[in-house]
Amino acid sequence: MKHKQLSWKKGAFSCVYQISNLRKTIGSLKVSSYSSGALGQINGGRYAFKKQGLLSRTIHVIQKESQSLVASIKVNIWGNKVSVQTKEKNYIWRFRNVWQTKWTLADEKQVLVSGTRNGLNMKGNIAHKEIDEVLILISLYVKNYMIRMNSGY
């Protein structure tokens, strides 16, 4: 199956990622400057990303309209691998190079989402298979979270 291509960008001092398909905005992710929280939307679906406690390494993804839990994101203690659990499946998110410019989200069989970023972290691409679109937001959120965590803020 062929991957579909998306692009993302954010301004130099912005906290908002814009996700586009052929130059048409289909979603956004607004990350908090002061916490691990975020608000995202993609093709009409709206989601909140909420860390579960000050020292917790677990983030819940909540569907805004129904207030239902969509996924749990768990960062391992070493910060090099992230597990994502939905009601249906488990996924692993990880960086694919030491410069943290490439990442993937995979299930036990295959890579479902792969992403890239430029060195300044202001734009990049996302390739994905036919999946629940919230996984695209999750992969971009985790990329941002991990870069922030690895840089110490």
Side-chain angles (χ1 to χ4, degrees):
M1 176 183 290
K2 188 175 178 179
H3 280 79
K4 296 183 178 187
Q5 297 291 323
L6 300 174
S7 61
W8 63 268
K9 66 179 179 178
K10 74 178 194 79
F13 300 104
S14 176
C15 295
V16 179
Y17 291 84
Q18 296 293 328
I19 304 166
S20 302
N21 182 9
L22 300 173
R23 296 191 181 133
K24 178 184 177 216
T25 300
I26 62 162
S28 65
L29 180 68
K30 182 177 183 181
V31 295
S32 172
S33 298
Y34 307 106
S35 72
S36 299
L39 294 172
Q41 65 89 21
I42 189 162
N43 287 330
R46 295 179 23 205
Y47 304 90
F49 293 76
K50 297 182 178 181
K51 191 169 180 185
Q52 293 308 292
L54 184 61
L55 299 176
S56 174
R57 293 184 173 265
T58 301
I59 298 106
H60 284 171
V61 182
I62 310 289
Q63 205 277 337
K64 291 288 285 181
E65 286 75 20
S66 67
Q67 291 297 303
S68 61
L69 179 66
V70 174
S72 289
I73 301 167
K74 294 182 181 175
V75 180
N76 77 354
I77 192 92
W78 306 109
N80 60 352
K81 183 172 75 171
V82 177
S83 64
V84 177
Q85 183 175 14
T86 67
K87 292 177 186 173
E88 298 83 29
K89 274 187 155 177
N90 293 322
Y91 305 92
I92 298 295
W93 184 102
R94 59 175 39 122
F95 281 118
R96 288 298 182 194
N97 62 12
V98 296
W99 302 279
Q100 300 179 346
T101 59
K102 296 179 182 181
W103 71 91
T104 58
L105 181 71
D107 64 13
E108 67 281 349
K109 297 177 185 173
Q110 63 185 328
V111 171
L112 300 169
V113 180
S114 60
T116 62
R117 70 175 178 93
N118 69 359
L120 299 175
N121 197 29
M122 294 192 305
K123 65 181 177 176
N125 296 300
I126 298 172
H128 68 94
K129 294 198 173 195
E130 288 288 337
I131 55 170
D132 186 347
E133 291 177 323
V134 71
L135 292 173
I136 296 167
L137 284 177
I138 289 171
S139 74
L140 191 58
Y141 171 85
V142 173
K143 185 263 327 161
N144 181 76
Y145 179 88
M146 294 300 288
I147 288 173
R148 287 176 68 174
M149 191 174 91
N150 291 339
S151 65
Y153 70 94

